[in-house]
């Protein structure tokens, strides 16, 4: 079997929450759970998890240090460092969206050569995951933080693409409110709800109805203060 690696581009959960201007005490547990889910997803499809971070995180995974100034430079350098460890296929993801359930299919597409790239789109036009048949560092160098037309650029840059389901990524409280309604986030509803209990002075309250995932109803839906 091909040697697989999942490169997780990450800060600590606390730093992730702070960088997104989210309440650290409430949002850090969400990002910690997302990181754990990516680690578990990697191992479930026999991929080696690699953390790319500016500081070493206390998790059971290989680590590479982010190098460079611009986001694309750090992304490309981390991918190169991971690829140089001797893996045959590489997927790159962050920790602001849950892992797709068909991660194994993404690896298979790359390993069989049936596609040139694998992407998991975010609803804002960016990507939650990207996988390339070969380390296309020229393309990774052009990636900008929170880029809104990245999926479109991938479509025009690679002849064949395997597109995974679109899922919201979390950058703001508004994103968390949208994610609460998506089935892909079903395992994180309580953590999303905890974030949505934040109230700001003079805020407008928006309430959510209960919702059902895979035959079960979830009713813990606190108001969101914007």
């Amino acid at each position: 079997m091909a040697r697989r690696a999942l490169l997780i581009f990450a800060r600590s959960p606390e730093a992730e929450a702070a960088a997104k201007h989210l309440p650290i005490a409430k949002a850090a547990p969400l990002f910690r759970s997302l990181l754990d889910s990516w680690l578990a997803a990697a191992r479930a499809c026999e991929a080696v998890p690699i953390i790319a971070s500016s500081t070493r995180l206390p998790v059971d995974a290989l680590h590479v240090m982010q190098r460079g100034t611009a986001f694309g430079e750090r992304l490309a350098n981390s991918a190169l460092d991971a690829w140089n460890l001797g893996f045959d296929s590489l997927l790159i993801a962050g920790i602001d969206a849950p892992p797709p359930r068909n991660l194994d299919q993404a690896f298979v597409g790359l390993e069989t050569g049936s596609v040139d790239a694998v992407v998991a789109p975010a609803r804002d036009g960016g990507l939650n995951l990207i996988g390339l048949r070969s380390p296309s560092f020229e393309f990774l160098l052009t990636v900008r933080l929170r880029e809104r037309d990245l999926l479109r650029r991938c479509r025009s840059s690679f002849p064949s693409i395997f597109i995974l389901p679109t899922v919201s990524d979390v950058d703001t409280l508004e994103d968390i409110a949208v994610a609460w309604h998506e089935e892909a986030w079903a395992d994180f509803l309580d953590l999303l709800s905890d974030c949505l209990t934040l109230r700001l002075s003079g805020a407008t309250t928006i309430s959510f109805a209960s919702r059902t995932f895979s035959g079960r109803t979830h009713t813990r839906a606190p108001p969101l203060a914007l």
Side-chain angles (χ1 to χ4, degrees):
M1 183 176 181
R3 292 195 68 214
R4 300 171 169 180
L6 175 63
L7 178 65
I8 304 170
F9 209 69
R11 294 173 279 226
S12 71
E14 292 76 15
E16 188 76 15
K20 297 175 184 295
H21 305 291
L22 295 171
I24 295 176
K26 293 179 178 292
L30 171 63
F31 293 121
R32 187 173 299 109
S33 182
L34 286 166
L35 175 57
D36 290 342
S37 293
W38 278 103
L39 294 172
R43 297 186 177 105
C45 59
E46 300 184 15
V48 175
I50 306 173
I51 302 295
S53 183
S54 58
T55 58
R56 189 176 182 88
L57 303 186
V59 297
D60 183 16
L62 297 180
H63 283 74
V64 296
M65 296 298 293
Q66 292 186 19
R67 298 180 290 110
T69 303
F71 177 76
E73 185 180 4
R74 298 198 306 274
L75 185 65
N77 285 335
S78 297
L80 176 61
D81 291 343
W83 199 269
N84 285 341
L85 294 174
F87 294 99
D88 302 309
S89 54
L90 177 68
L91 298 179
I92 307 169
I95 61 167
D96 51 6
R101 300 188 187 279
N102 50 351
L103 199 61
D104 186 72
Q105 293 179 25
F107 277 112
V108 170
L110 296 176
E111 292 158 3
T112 60
S114 59
V115 295
D116 297 293
V118 174
V119 297
R123 294 202 183 278
D124 61 7
L127 297 179
N128 296 322
L129 174 146
I130 184 169
L132 304 172
R133 278 178 55 186
S134 59
S136 181
F137 302 111
E138 294 79 8
F139 179 82
L140 293 177
L141 281 169
T142 69
V143 175
R144 303 183 303 276
L145 187 63
R146 298 181 185 175
E147 183 177 349
R148 303 304 186 191
D149 66 343
L150 189 53
L151 176 60
R152 180 194 60 78
R153 289 208 298 118
C154 285
R155 288 181 183 275
S156 62
S157 298
F158 302 103
S160 59
I161 301 180
F162 176 41
I163 301 180
L164 294 161
T166 300
V167 176
S168 291
D169 61 345
V170 168
D171 292 318
T172 66
L173 280 175
E174 290 86 348
D175 294 335
I176 292 175
V178 174
W180 196 89
H181 290 276
E182 296 181 0
E183 186 169 1
W185 284 90
D187 293 336
F188 303 91
L189 291 185
D190 286 343
L191 292 168
L192 293 173
S193 296
D194 286 343
C195 294
L196 295 179
T197 59
L198 179 68
R199 290 181 177 274
L200 303 177
S201 60
T204 301
T205 298
I206 301 176
S207 297
F208 299 102
S210 63
R211 41 149 343 158
T212 301
F213 289 128
S214 302
R216 71 181 190 275
T217 300
H218 187 96
T219 57
R220 187 185 178 197
L224 167 64
L226 299 177

